Amino acid sequence: MFNSHAFFKQRFAAHLKETSRYLRYIFNGHIAFAMFFFVSAAAYYYQQWLANLPDDFPTAWIVGVTFGLLVSYSPVRTLLKEPDLVFLIAAENRMGPYFRDALIYSFVIQLYIILLAGAAFGPLYFASYPDRAGSVYLLTLLIVLIFKFGNLIANWWMLKIREPGMRQVDQVVRVLLNVAVFYFIIEGEMLWAGVTTVLFTLVFLYDLNVSGKQPGIVWDLLVEKDQNRMQTFYRIANMFTDVPHLKNRVKGRHWLVALVSKVPFANRFTFDYLYRISFVRSGDYLGMYLRLIMIGGLFIYFVPNIWMKLLFALLFLYMSAFQMMTLYHHHRTVMWLDLYPVDEGVRQQSLIKLLFQLTLIQTIIFAVLFASMQEWIGMLAVLIGGTVFNYLFIQGYVKKKLIE
């Protein structure tokens, strides 16, 4: 007889084995060093900033909005796969234990975000409200966990509804109520916090009522949601190692393609054209590159010490070059590239040239940011030091890795 609880344990074990294998590549020595540097520097300047916290700082808004968004984003990980659309539908009436385990797993796996946010906002909370006891903040975190579980259950109920518009309206309403609840709690307005909690409870019961009227489970929607999340994980892992399960996404971005595809019509520029187009249209290379520039710019802008600004600038230049070098293996499964009458050295040189161009643009953007803050020494230092660092890192480490 089919045991869905045992089936979930098998599916979970396979899922854990697969994800842990890729996580070892993601959190390698380079990323571990960068994360340690980020956390250490952020903690140091966070404490310095809290010592001079303005009296009118909007702590309630920042903490309330963050907690509200965190509890609202509560996806259900079912670990379903495409073949399940054929083989498990017949056993739908015996899948209760499976989906119960999936809900428990989804809740537990998302707890670390709540705990990290709670630890990060703790010093800000006590600096803004020094007269409140620590038990008050712990009670707030307990309420966050309760709302997290409630939103997870509500999301599960709404996944039984096929109409995306109805699911989106429900999600928006719950987000607004979640944000309002935690804003009022942090602000100390318990009456209004109680009113918004009652409103959230009414929406919660409405979701229960609507889902109870549905004929059954929308299997294709569950598979689609879970596969989309796994593809997101694969895209991140693909920046560190080869991921055979990744389904490459191609985006139009015609105006960007027209901008970067202007290369001379000659054999030695074949891979210049290919890598430029791949960077713009394939995967998440362009998005990752822009995010690294924005995050690095925020660190440069807000960190007060000029030498720390320069260290962050070099660190983000390193991360950009390290992440973008995976472009070299992006077309590894396309056998037609082996038929190109182009030497392998030309292919490697094309990627090295693109990486240097991208990091040079990033260096110039960081230098302009220094100039906007009238940090002229920093501007010259990041221009000269960044350019030299880019050249040495790409010609040394990256070139060596491509030859291996």
Side-chain angles (χ1 to χ4, degrees):
M1 184 176 177
F2 179 72
N3 187 333
S4 63
H5 174 66
F7 179 65
F8 179 84
K9 291 171 64 176
Q10 295 174 3
R11 182 64 59 85
F12 174 71
H15 172 76
L16 191 63
K17 181 180 179 180
E18 181 181 19
T19 53
S20 61
R21 177 161 54 94
Y22 289 122
L23 286 173
R24 285 197 297 269
Y25 290 105
I26 295 175
F27 294 102
N28 54 29
H30 302 280
I31 298 301
F33 169 76
M35 291 180 64
F36 176 78
F37 184 83
F38 284 147
V39 172
S40 300
Y44 174 75
Y45 287 107
Y46 186 34
Q47 289 297 329
Q48 284 194 334
W49 175 74
L50 287 177
N52 301 301
L53 184 68
D55 294 335
D56 58 347
F57 188 78
T59 300
W61 276 112
I62 293 176
V63 179
V65 169
T66 303
F67 281 163
L69 293 177
L70 286 178
V71 300
S72 299
Y73 181 72
S74 301
V76 179
R77 295 300 311 272
T78 60
L79 307 183
L80 294 176
K81 300 180 181 297
E82 291 183 5
D84 297 336
L85 295 174
V86 177
F87 297 104
L88 288 184
I89 290 181
E92 180 175 328
N93 60 343
R94 295 195 294 273
M95 288 293 290
Y98 180 96
F99 291 124
R100 178 203 62 204
D101 295 342
L103 287 170
I104 295 173
Y105 165 67
S106 301
F107 179 71
V108 172
I109 200 65
Q110 296 172 45
L111 285 182
Y112 77 96
I113 303 179
I114 302 294
L115 297 177
L116 287 176
F121 284 130
L124 174 61
Y125 179 87
F126 292 117
S128 301
Y129 308 102
D131 55 327
R132 296 184 185 177
S135 57
V136 176
Y137 188 64
L138 292 178
L139 180 60
T140 302
L141 294 182
L142 178 61
I143 296 173
V144 171
L145 295 180
I146 294 172
F147 269 78
K148 180 71 174 178
F149 185 74
N151 279 273
L152 181 70
I153 297 298
N155 285 337
W156 168 245
W157 288 335
M158 294 307 292
L159 285 173
K160 297 180 181 180
I161 298 174
R162 185 171 293 277
E163 294 82 1
M166 190 172 181
R167 296 198 306 270
Q168 291 168 2
V169 170
D170 176 81
Q171 183 71 45
V172 170
V173 172
R174 282 191 287 111
V175 167
L176 295 176
L177 290 174
N178 288 326
V179 169
V181 167
F182 289 106
Y183 167 76
F184 290 130
I185 289 176
I186 301 299
E187 191 68 18
E189 299 285 348
M190 294 305 167
L191 175 61
W192 286 107
V195 171
T196 47
T197 300
V198 170
L199 293 176
F200 176 85
T201 304
L202 293 176
V203 174
F204 183 82
L205 295 175
Y206 171 78
D207 292 345
L208 171 61
N209 181 60
V210 171
S211 66
K213 297 178 180 178
Q214 305 306 311
I217 296 173
V218 185
W219 287 87
D220 56 329
L221 179 62
L222 296 181
V223 171
E224 178 188 350
K225 294 285 186 181
D226 217 80
Q227 291 301 302
N228 287 342
R229 294 186 191 98
M230 284 306 300
Q231 287 299 312
T232 300
F233 174 76
Y234 288 148
R235 281 193 292 273
I236 296 173
N238 191 58
M239 297 177 182
F240 303 88
T241 186
D242 293 340
V243 181
H245 310 291
L246 180 64
K247 297 178 182 178
N248 290 324
R249 296 184 306 170
V250 179
K251 299 183 178 180
R253 295 171 178 167
H254 301 295
W255 66 276
L256 274 177
V257 170
L259 187 65
V260 303
S261 60
K262 297 176 181 178
V263 297
F265 190 76
N267 277 9
R268 62 192 181 95
F269 295 107
T270 299
F271 284 98
D272 288 47
Y273 176 85
L274 179 64
Y275 287 137
R276 288 185 182 186
I277 299 298
S278 300
F279 171 75
V280 170
R281 298 188 62 191
S282 302
D284 199 32
Y285 297 108
L286 179 61
M288 176 64 71
Y289 176 69
L290 294 177
R291 284 192 292 272
L292 288 173
I293 290 178
M294 290 194 309
I295 297 173
L298 289 174
F299 273 98
I300 292 171
Y301 186 81
F302 286 107
V303 170
N305 187 284
I306 186 172
W307 300 113
M308 290 298 296
K309 292 177 187 284
L310 292 173
L311 282 175
F312 274 112
L314 293 178
L315 182 61
F316 277 92
L317 288 173
Y318 153 77
M319 292 181 66
S320 293
F322 183 77
Q323 300 284 19
M324 296 304 116
M325 65 183 288
T326 56
L327 265 170
Y328 189 73
H329 301 289
H330 184 77
H331 300 284
R332 64 193 177 280
T333 59
V334 182
M335 65 178 182
W336 306 112
L337 300 188
D338 298 331
L339 302 179
Y340 287 1
V342 181
D343 187 71
E344 185 71 16
V346 175
R347 179 177 181 176
Q348 295 167 358
Q349 193 59 39
S350 295
L351 182 67
I352 290 172
K353 184 195 305 181
L354 176 63
L355 290 182
F356 186 76
Q357 291 169 347
L358 292 174
T359 51
L360 182 61
I361 292 172
Q362 188 173 351
T363 301
I364 294 173
I365 292 174
F366 287 164
V368 170
L369 184 57
F370 273 99
S372 68
M373 297 182 292
Q374 298 185 350
E375 297 276 2
W376 308 114
I377 296 178
M379 182 192 73
L380 292 175
V382 77
L383 271 177
I384 298 171
T387 303
V388 172
F389 172 81
N390 294 336
Y391 180 81
L392 294 177
F393 180 74
I394 293 173
Q395 292 293 331
Y397 178 83
V398 174
K399 192 172 184 178
K400 179 182 176 182
K401 284 294 182 181
L402 295 183
I403 296 174
E404 290 180 355

